Short mmCIF file of all heavy atoms in Angstrom, two decimals:
data_model
loop_
_atom_site.label_atom_id
_atom_site.label_comp_id
_atom_site.label_asym_id
_atom_site.label_seq_id
_atom_site.Cartn_x
_atom_site.Cartn_y
_atom_site.Cartn_z
N THR A 181 8.05 -13.21 7.67
CA THR A 181 9.39 -12.70 8.02
C THR A 181 9.45 -11.18 8.02
O THR A 181 10.43 -10.60 8.48
CB THR A 181 10.46 -13.24 7.05
OG1 THR A 181 10.03 -12.99 5.71
CG2 THR A 181 10.72 -14.71 7.28
N GLY A 262 13.16 -5.95 7.35
CA GLY A 262 13.90 -7.16 7.69
C GLY A 262 14.47 -7.81 6.44
O GLY A 262 15.56 -7.46 5.99
N PRO A 263 13.74 -8.77 5.85
CA PRO A 263 14.28 -9.50 4.70
C PRO A 263 14.30 -8.67 3.41
O PRO A 263 14.87 -9.11 2.41
CB PRO A 263 13.33 -10.69 4.56
CG PRO A 263 12.05 -10.23 5.17
CD PRO A 263 12.43 -9.29 6.28
N LEU A 285 24.34 -7.94 7.72
CA LEU A 285 23.87 -9.33 7.77
C LEU A 285 24.00 -9.91 6.35
O LEU A 285 23.33 -9.43 5.43
CB LEU A 285 22.41 -9.33 8.25
CG LEU A 285 21.87 -10.56 8.94
CD1 LEU A 285 22.71 -10.92 10.17
CD2 LEU A 285 20.42 -10.32 9.35
N CYS A 287 22.97 -12.46 4.83
CA CYS A 287 21.81 -13.07 4.16
C CYS A 287 20.76 -12.04 3.73
O CYS A 287 19.80 -12.38 3.05
CB CYS A 287 21.16 -14.09 5.08
SG CYS A 287 20.60 -13.37 6.64
N ARG A 288 20.95 -10.78 4.14
CA ARG A 288 19.92 -9.75 3.93
C ARG A 288 20.25 -8.90 2.72
O ARG A 288 21.38 -8.41 2.66
CB ARG A 288 19.81 -8.90 5.18
CG ARG A 288 18.79 -7.80 5.10
CD ARG A 288 18.60 -7.11 6.44
NE ARG A 288 17.54 -6.13 6.29
CZ ARG A 288 17.78 -4.81 6.19
NH1 ARG A 288 19.00 -4.34 6.27
NH2 ARG A 288 16.77 -3.97 6.01
N PRO A 289 19.35 -8.64 1.78
CA PRO A 289 17.97 -9.14 1.70
C PRO A 289 17.95 -10.57 1.16
O PRO A 289 18.87 -10.98 0.45
CB PRO A 289 17.32 -8.19 0.70
CG PRO A 289 18.45 -7.81 -0.23
CD PRO A 289 19.68 -7.78 0.62
N CYS A 290 16.88 -11.31 1.46
CA CYS A 290 16.82 -12.69 0.98
C CYS A 290 15.69 -12.91 -0.01
O CYS A 290 15.61 -13.99 -0.60
CB CYS A 290 16.73 -13.67 2.14
SG CYS A 290 15.18 -13.64 3.03
N PRO A 295 10.12 -14.06 2.69
CA PRO A 295 9.53 -15.41 2.71
C PRO A 295 8.61 -15.58 3.93
O PRO A 295 8.71 -14.82 4.89
CB PRO A 295 10.75 -16.33 2.82
CG PRO A 295 11.82 -15.47 3.42
CD PRO A 295 11.54 -14.05 3.01
N CYS A 298 11.90 -17.72 7.88
CA CYS A 298 13.32 -17.48 7.62
C CYS A 298 13.96 -18.78 7.13
O CYS A 298 13.95 -19.79 7.85
CB CYS A 298 14.01 -17.02 8.91
SG CYS A 298 15.78 -16.89 8.72
N PRO A 299 14.57 -18.77 5.93
CA PRO A 299 15.18 -20.02 5.43
C PRO A 299 16.35 -20.49 6.28
O PRO A 299 16.72 -21.66 6.24
CB PRO A 299 15.63 -19.64 4.00
CG PRO A 299 15.59 -18.16 3.92
CD PRO A 299 14.64 -17.67 4.97
N LEU A 300 16.94 -19.57 7.07
CA LEU A 300 18.06 -19.96 7.94
C LEU A 300 17.61 -20.26 9.36
O LEU A 300 18.40 -20.68 10.20
CB LEU A 300 19.12 -18.84 7.95
CG LEU A 300 19.71 -18.47 6.59
CD1 LEU A 300 20.70 -17.33 6.72
CD2 LEU A 300 20.38 -19.69 5.94
N HIS A 302 16.93 -18.37 11.89
CA HIS A 302 17.21 -17.48 13.03
C HIS A 302 16.48 -16.14 12.96
O HIS A 302 16.31 -15.47 13.97
CB HIS A 302 18.72 -17.25 13.18
CG HIS A 302 19.42 -16.76 11.94
ND1 HIS A 302 19.10 -15.57 11.31
CD2 HIS A 302 20.45 -17.31 11.22
CE1 HIS A 302 19.90 -15.39 10.27
NE2 HIS A 302 20.71 -16.44 10.18
N HIS A 303 16.06 -15.72 11.78
CA HIS A 303 15.30 -14.47 11.59
C HIS A 303 16.02 -13.27 12.22
O HIS A 303 15.40 -12.36 12.78
CB HIS A 303 13.88 -14.61 12.17
CG HIS A 303 12.91 -13.60 11.63
ND1 HIS A 303 11.79 -13.18 12.33
CD2 HIS A 303 12.89 -12.88 10.47
CE1 HIS A 303 11.13 -12.29 11.61
NE2 HIS A 303 11.77 -12.09 10.47
N ARG A 304 17.33 -13.26 12.08
CA ARG A 304 18.11 -12.19 12.73
C ARG A 304 17.86 -10.82 12.11
O ARG A 304 18.07 -9.80 12.76
CB ARG A 304 19.60 -12.53 12.67
CG ARG A 304 20.02 -13.57 13.71
CD ARG A 304 21.53 -13.71 13.75
NE ARG A 304 22.18 -12.42 13.95
CZ ARG A 304 23.45 -12.18 13.64
NH1 ARG A 304 24.19 -13.14 13.12
NH2 ARG A 304 23.97 -10.99 13.85
N CYS A 305 17.42 -10.78 10.85
CA CYS A 305 17.18 -9.48 10.20
C CYS A 305 16.14 -8.68 10.97
O CYS A 305 16.12 -7.45 10.91
CB CYS A 305 16.75 -9.68 8.76
SG CYS A 305 15.18 -10.54 8.57
S1 SF4 B 1 17.56 -15.35 5.63
FE1 SF4 B 1 18.30 -13.47 6.59
S2 SF4 B 1 17.18 -11.83 5.57
FE2 SF4 B 1 16.07 -13.74 5.13
S3 SF4 B 1 14.51 -13.92 6.74
FE3 SF4 B 1 16.33 -15.00 7.47
S4 SF4 B 1 17.50 -13.51 8.67
FE4 SF4 B 1 16.02 -12.40 7.39
#
Side-chain angles (χ1 to χ4, degrees):
T181 51
L285 206 57
C287 59
R288 180 173 184 256
C290 69
C298 174
L300 302 178
H302 54 60
H303 199 206
R304 282 189 54 201
C305 64

